[in-house]
Structures are given as structure tokens and as C-alpha cells.
Amino acid sequence: MYSDKVIDHFTNPRNVGEIENADGVGEKVSSSCGDRMKVFLKVENDIIEDVKFQTYGCGAAIASSSMMSELVIGKTLQQALDLTNDQVADALGGLPAPKLHCSNLAADALHEAIKNYQETNA
Amino acid sequence: MKRIYMDNNATTAVRPEVMEAMLPFYKEHFGNPSSVHWAGRETGAALEAAREKVAKLINCAPAEVVFTSCGSEGDNLAIKGVADAYRDRGNHIITTAVEHPAVLNSCKYLEKHGFEVTYLPVDGHGMLDVSSLEAAITDKTILISVMWANNETGTLFPIEKIGAVARKHKICFHTDAVQAIGRVPVDVDAAQVDLLAISGHKIGAPKGVGALYVRKGVRLTPLVHGGHQERNRRAGTHNLPGIVGLGVACELADADLRNTAQRLSAMRDRLEQGLLAAIPESQVNGHPTMRLPNTLNISFNYIEGEAVLLFLDMQGIAASSGSACMSDLEGQSHVIDAMGVDPMMANSAIRFGLGYDNTEADVDQVLEILPNIVKKLRDMSPFYHERDAAKATANS
Ligand code: FES
């Protein structure tokens, strides 16, 4: 039911963890299943230097968090803000329909973290 | 990688003796048992022999066994069939909140057609209170439908006590015994059951065959109309190979019920104690003692069940989270939910269903692998990292 990419990111998730004194922290709870994702950012000169995440959720949610982190490290804040939920799912080689909402967590939690960074550094 | 199957509550492998017995009925003995010629007579005898074997396992008369296509059909036939046949007496049905979807959805269907259904709650162990069942009876009650054993937790309901209540009030009593058959002794007479559904593929017979026990004298409107098969209670040409297989599976279950139950419960208990010891903040869902010998439903706080299942699957271990029929749906199991289990615990519930083919080595393997899976997922979980803070707030 899951693509090889999903299984790969689920089995070996990249960038799991927490950044001490993160520049931005954001989180998102899925309204449909209660699963939860937390994102930590390190930002320098408008560039995302590092992303770490913690996820409580299904295989698709964990794989989406991992993929999201890979997609935005080294990108500008604006590029990260432009990342959509669909792009995360596409990068994973697609998700089964009932699991599409899981990928929503990833981009949304990331955007929350960026918002938090921008508010504290305004 | 050794593959381990621990999802026998979802379905079982066909037992070799069952397979062997079925094969001749596909090609050599293929006659329609309803035919009068030699080919039909031959299979007609096999059909009745299978009926006797099913009857013996549950202690009823062969004429009281109606062959069906599965457990769901048996449940549907019992509930809708009784509802229709006894409509003149009343329109009230009593069941529980933790039934299989075959029962719950049959009841929901009847609600749309003017019936009233009481869904009794269960306690934290998934147990039913018989006095509240009795209190729910009205002069309109025509059917009580309570499962023998729960498919997700294995909790065994006090069927004999419920049977006595039903008999006292002269109400039909149906039980979905799909998970109980072949795992615990089932005696329709001792339990005063009027209708009881069996499924072949949970006891080593193939998929596509089942049976419904219907006590003599109970009125029943058929679901499938057509020929005169099964004394007009279920039309359609018999699935003879499947029925022969079901007969043999019942015979085998009858012969080794006690030994199998003892062997499985010893393995199950070792699995349960090993996991509880190795994984802190875990809990068993279901009744501590009144439980099927093969079933373990266990939760590991702070993580989510599907992720556990995927990791187990990647290491060759097949288990399930909740009922297999529900696994493609969102959200929590209605059974665990009805037990009032904390939602995060409920979300991580994993069900192991042991079967004939499981060995001690299988249990060792799961005990070796699962604690690492839980650790890996907890390391990823924000709730796990925040739990000390959460506990401190809860205590302050
Ligand atoms: S089911 Fe909740 S995030 Fe996937």
C-alpha cells in the first residue's frame, strides 16, 4: 500500500530529534486522527540551516516529516513557506487516498515553525 | 527472514486434514446434493455428515444447523431473520457497543426500518453487566444479540447468564461465536442460546463457508430466497467442498480443544508478560482472566499502532491493530473506545491472535523485536519527550 520511498523514509527517518535553543518551533495536530508533529528550525540569513522533527503518528506521517525535512534544509524561508502538502506527498511517490491527510501535518507544522521564527525575530 | 503469522483472529490457514478432505469434492464428487441421481446422493451424504460434525461441536441436533457463506451472513440471517419473523411481538433489540460490524450494522439497518436498538456499554475490561442487560428488557424486546468472545480483545461474555435471562423473559438469544468456536467450549444447550453464528476460516476451514445454529422452533425469515435448501432457511446451491471442510475443522477442534487452548494460552501469557516486563508504560486491553486463550491486545503509550504494525511487518511478523475489517478506516477501534481506554493508549493497540501453527520460537522472536520497535518510535514521539513535564503538571 505504501511506495518504496515512504517505506524508506519511515524505516530510516532523516532529521529526527530536537534542536536545543531552536530559532523557531511549530507544531500541528491532525483534526481527523489526533496525530501530532513538532518541527524545530535553525535559521541563518534567511536560510534554513537545519530542521529536526518529532512525530506521533502513522507510517505516512513519519515518512512525510522526514521528506519535508529533506526538502527544506538549505532553502530560503520563502521557499519553505511555498512548500505545499501535495509536494511532500508527491516527493514520497504518492500516498494512498486515506493517508493524504498525514502529509498535511508536515508542511503545516513547518509553516507554524517559520511563523514562530518570524514573530520572535520581528 | 522467518515469517510469523499472529493474526489468527482475522483468519487462519486451512488445516492440512481439512484440505485433504475437501479435494475430492471439487472433481470426483461434484454432484449437487439437491439432485436425486447417484452423483447427488453421494454428496448429499457428505453434506449431512458435515452437518453432524458441526452439531456435535456445539451440542445441538444436526437439523438445527444451517450452512451459510460466512459468519457475517449468519449474524445477518439471525438478526434480520428474527426481527422480521417476530415483528408481531415487538420491535426492540438489545445488543452491545462492542459487537462485530456484522451485528452492529445489521442493527443499524433495522433501526432505519422501525426497530429500536439498545447498545449496552461495557466496562474497562470490555465486560458486560448482566443486570443492566436485564434492566434494558421491555415488553417489546424480541431479540438479544451478544457476542461470545470479542474479536479485538478476546474478552469472554457471561453467555450462560445472558442465556438464562433471555430464557426467563422468553426472548430469542443470538450470539456471534465466530471467535469462540474451536478456542473455548461452546455448548448451545448449556448456554441456552437460540441462534449462534460460526465462521469456517477462523478455525482452519476455508473462507466462504459458515453455519448458523437455529434452535428448533425459532422462527426465521430467510435472507436468500430461492430453492428449498437448508429447510427453506437459506437458498442457494451448497458450497459442498467448503462445508465438508467446515465439518472436518469442527471435528478437529472438538478433538483437541483443551490441548490447543492450554498450549496457546501458555504461549500467549509468556508473550504478554514478556512484553509488559520489557516495555514500561504498556497495558493489556481486555479482561485479565475471562479472555480467549489465544488473544492478546496490548498498548504502548506515546506511539501509534499502525507504525508498530509496519515495523513488525518489515520483520516478517503479521499482527493487527483492532479488527481487520476496520483497518482501512480512520480512527480508533469502537471496541477499545467503548472500554473507555485513554485515547493515546487506544491509538497504539496491537492485537496478536495465536493459532495452531505458532511455536515458542515465534514468541521469542516477537519478544526480541518488539521492544526495539517501541523504543525507536518513542524516540520519535513528541509526547514521549514531554511526558515528564506532562506528569509534573498532572501531579501539581
Ligand atoms: S493517520 Fe494520523 S497522521 Fe496518518
Side-chain angles (χ1 to χ4, degrees), chain B residues 32-66:
Chain B
N32 189 329
S34 306
S35 305
V36 292
H37 47 58
W38 57 268
R41 278 198 305 278
E42 209 170 64
T43 52
L47 177 70
E48 294 317 315
R51 203 185 297 281
E52 274 169 32
K53 289 173 182 161
V54 176
K56 181 160 179 283
L57 179 65
I58 60 174
N59 189 30
C60 69
E64 294 172 313
V65 173
V66 177

Side-chain angles (χ1 to χ4, degrees), chain A residues 78-90:
Chain A
Q78 191 51 53
Q79 284 170 325
L81 279 170
D82 290 341
L83 181 75
T84 65
N85 298 319
D86 287 348
Q87 285 166 347
V88 177
D90 287 347

Side-chain angles (χ1 to χ4, degrees), chain B residues 266-287:
Chain B
M267 282 198 286
R268 191 271 314 271
D269 292 348
R270 198 161 70 80
L271 178 64
E272 175 173 324
Q273 280 146 24
L275 291 176
L276 288 175
I279 307 173
E281 301 184 74
S282 48
Q283 77 173 36
V284 173
N285 305 306
H287 199 278

Side-chain angles (χ1 to χ4, degrees), chain A residues 2 30 32-36 55-62 98-99 101-103 105, chain B residues 304 306 330-331:
Chain A
Y2 286 135
S30 162
S32 57
C33 66
D35 288 352
R36 174 178 171 218
T55 293
Y56 164 79
C58 67
I62 290 169
K99 289 287 174 182
H101 78 271
C102 316
S103 65
L105 281 180
Chain B
E304 204 263 356
E306 194 225 42
E330 291 300 328

Side-chain angles (χ1 to χ4, degrees), chain B residues 85-98:
Chain B
Y86 289 85
R87 183 85 211 230
D88 54 341
R89 284 221 206 139
N91 68 340
H92 181 231
I93 296 168
I94 299 174
T95 185
T96 82
V98 296

Side-chain angles (χ1 to χ4, degrees), chain B residues 290-307:
Chain B
M290 298 286 287
R291 186 153 39 112
L292 287 175
N294 79 318
T295 306
L296 170 62
N297 188 309
I298 186 164
S299 287
F300 313 104
N301 216 0
Y302 311 115
I303 59 177
E304 204 263 356
E306 194 225 42

